Amino acid sequence: MTDFKRIEDAGDLTGKVALTRVDFNVPMADGKITDDTRLVAAVETVNALRGAGAKVALLSHFGRPKGTRDPSMSLKPVAQAFAKVMGHPVSFCEDCKGEDAKAAITALEETGIILLENTRYYAGEEKNDPQLAADIAELGDVFVSDAFSAAHRAHVSTVGLADHLPAYAGKSMERELSALNAALGKPQRPVMAVVGGAKVSSKIDLLKNLVSKVDYLVIGGGMANTFLAARGEDVGKSLCEHDLKDTANAIEVNAEKSGCEIVLPVDLVVAKEFAANAPHRTIGLDEVEADEMILDAGPATVTRLESIMDSASTLIWNGPLGAFEMEPFDAATVAAAKAAGARAKSGELIAVAGGGDTVAALNHAGAAEDFTFISTAGGAFLEWMEGKDLPGVEALKK
Ligand code: AMP
């Protein structure tokens, strides 16, 4: 996974234009950007390219205009916001191809920065249309891909441009790929995976891939209920996919064949209501009443996870261990995240996490900064955990 070219491999870029795919699909409310994390993430790449002498022409999607010029999905306000983050002017062009874009790039000063309009204003973007790829590629000399979060999509701006221009990984992409490689590519063993969340059905491929790669697979959250039920436990009125009993059993069989230990909760926190601070009790596996639901793992489970963490060298985490948005059902997620964070901070554990609610859960636990790496990519991170080749990463290997 690390056999791709980096910006340094491009050498001197003086007088060249680096067409750079970033993820500026930022959250916006009333025309204002509410979180500039993705803008900040692009700074290092843009500065590295300018340092090599290049003009930087930024490409991104924004929202889902589906091939129409929907003004509510224009990147124009993002150009101003990025200029603030850069502390340097950022031009904007209302097209990402054609004569206007060419002229705007030519007009830039040496090492100038320009943001081009939403690539998804063209329907060809999401179809990886070869003509659109050729048209956009005309604007640049090299293609720099820095949006791992979009790398699971075979689009013009993630894949097609690499057919026309020499392709390099940007700094964020490089960091992401190195961290993911350290966690599942060529990891230091033992490797422990924690997979939680609501449903097994959304993570079947992921579980199947992990059992063949990791030494311990901890299953938590609503997903654990499905595995407990498949093992014959009574889970009361818990969230549970009883129809996936055979799937759960097959995953257990494959785990055993691969020498992967599946770790399920050994104690439970149950309540009769799905609500914050609902009256609750901590019980053993065989004590769930018919009108109770499992909303978190108990303290003995956390102790077990901590002891596995003590022996593990690498941890990969996706999904919460319980209904972490509601106190006190966040307890197991918070305690386990803190334990992992502390071990990562002291250098005992390589701890990588990502995907949807995981970032929110680790932030909630105050453990996010202590993890070795946290991916903010949702779908791309999950597809990578499923063991799939990501087209936007494969394109960089050409
Ligand atoms: P996912 O999007 O699949 O990662 O699932 C995250 C969601 O699973 C969060 O909103 C949690 O509240 C929810 N969740 C975790 N454990 C449980 C549980 N035992 N019962 C119901 N929901 C849960």
Side-chain angles (χ1 to χ4, degrees):
M1 201 188 217
T2 44
D3 50 350
F4 50 83
K5 283 182 280 181
R6 297 161 173 75
I7 291 174
E8 292 71 29
D9 299 318
D12 183 10
L13 293 172
T14 305
K16 302 253 167 80
V17 177
L19 270 179
T20 306
R21 173 51 152 110
V22 289
D23 182 356
F24 280 180
N25 188 30
V26 288
M28 199 147 3
D30 303 324
K32 291 234 159 62
I33 291 160
T34 54
D35 181 348
D36 67 0
T37 308
R38 288 178 165 169
L39 304 185
V40 173
V43 170
E44 197 186 343
T45 295
V46 172
N47 279 335
L49 290 166
R50 296 180 67 223
K55 290 182 181 180
V56 183
L58 299 165
L59 294 166
S60 179
H61 76 283
F62 185 54
R64 294 196 167 132
K66 296 205 173 292
T68 62
R69 288 197 154 257
D70 182 334
S72 73
M73 292 176 211
S74 170
L75 277 167
K76 195 167 187 182
V78 180
Q80 290 153 17
F82 188 55
K84 267 199 198 127
V85 169
M86 283 296 300
H88 189 278
V90 175
S91 314
F92 180 74
C93 177
E94 282 170 9
D95 210 341
C96 66
K97 68 166 184 134
E99 290 310 317
D100 286 354
K102 213 177 272 180
I105 292 171
T106 306
L108 283 180
E109 56 177 16
E110 222 175 275
T111 75
I113 310 165
I114 186 166
L115 175 61
L116 306 177
E117 186 55 288
N118 195 346
T119 51
R120 289 193 189 166
Y121 274 6
Y122 288 102
E125 158 74 336
E126 294 186 67
K127 295 181 187 131
N128 194 13
D129 173 48
Q131 186 56 53
L132 182 64
D135 290 347
I136 296 180
E138 271 198 28
L139 301 176
D141 301 291
V142 295
F143 168 47
V144 177
S145 180
D146 208 31
F148 177 78
S149 53
H152 57 317
R153 311 275 188 223
H155 292 173
V156 163
S157 65
T158 57
V159 170
L161 291 176
D163 290 335
H164 299 272
L165 299 171
Y168 302 91
K171 294 289 168 190
S172 299
M173 175 72 91
E174 187 184 332
R175 228 187 338 266
E176 186 101 28
L177 296 181
S178 305
L180 300 191
N181 193 49
L184 271 193
K186 289 191 184 111
Q188 286 178 36
R189 293 192 177 271
V191 185
M192 168 185 191
V194 173
V195 181
K199 290 182 168 180
V200 172
S201 52
S202 61
K203 293 186 186 169
I204 292 174
D205 288 345
L206 190 150
L207 295 171
K208 280 185 183 160
N209 182 44
L210 288 180
V211 293
S212 69
K213 297 224 166 113
V214 305
D215 303 292
Y216 299 93
L217 174 57
V218 177
I219 299 178
M223 301 174 62
N225 303 339
T226 299
F227 277 81
L228 288 172
R231 283 186 185 183
E233 301 290 350
D234 194 340
V235 298
K237 61 167 187 167
S238 300
L239 173 67
C240 178
E241 293 165 290
H242 291 283
D243 56 325
L244 290 184
K245 183 175 180 218
D246 291 346
T247 304
N249 285 335
I251 289 170
E252 296 241 29
V253 169
N254 284 337
E256 202 175 337
K257 275 192 206 148
S258 311
C260 164
E261 185 181 336
I262 292 204
V263 181
L264 294 182
V266 293
D267 60 343
L268 307 165
V269 179
V270 295
K272 292 184 178 172
E273 235 189 308
F274 190 83
N277 300 310
H280 54 277
R281 58 192 196 112
T282 302
I283 56 168
L285 294 186
D286 55 358
E287 296 170 59
V288 185
E289 302 283 350
D291 60 349
E292 287 179 320
M293 63 189 117
I294 304 164
L295 293 181
D296 199 11
T301 305
V302 174
T303 304
R304 169 100 179 93
L305 298 197
E306 286 183 316
S307 89
I308 300 173
M309 274 177 212
D310 283 336
S311 72
S313 296
T314 305
L315 166 72
I316 171 137
W317 186 325
N318 170 261
L321 296 175
F324 78 100
E325 300 95 334
M326 307 184 297
E327 281 186 20
F329 309 109
D330 58 344
T333 304
V334 168
K338 281 200 159 110
R343 284 161 176 78
K345 197 175 180 184
S346 68
E348 296 159 74
L349 187 69
I350 295 166
V352 174
D357 276 344
T358 314
V359 184
L362 298 184
N363 277 330
H364 172 72
E369 293 94 75
D370 293 337
F371 268 60
T372 316
F373 184 79
I374 297 205
S375 172
T376 48
F381 184 85
L382 289 177
E383 287 200 21
W384 167 79
M385 268 184 97
E386 288 167 2
K388 293 186 180 147
D389 284 338
L390 307 184
V393 174
E394 295 304 301
L396 289 175
K397 294 181 183 170
K398 280 180 195 164

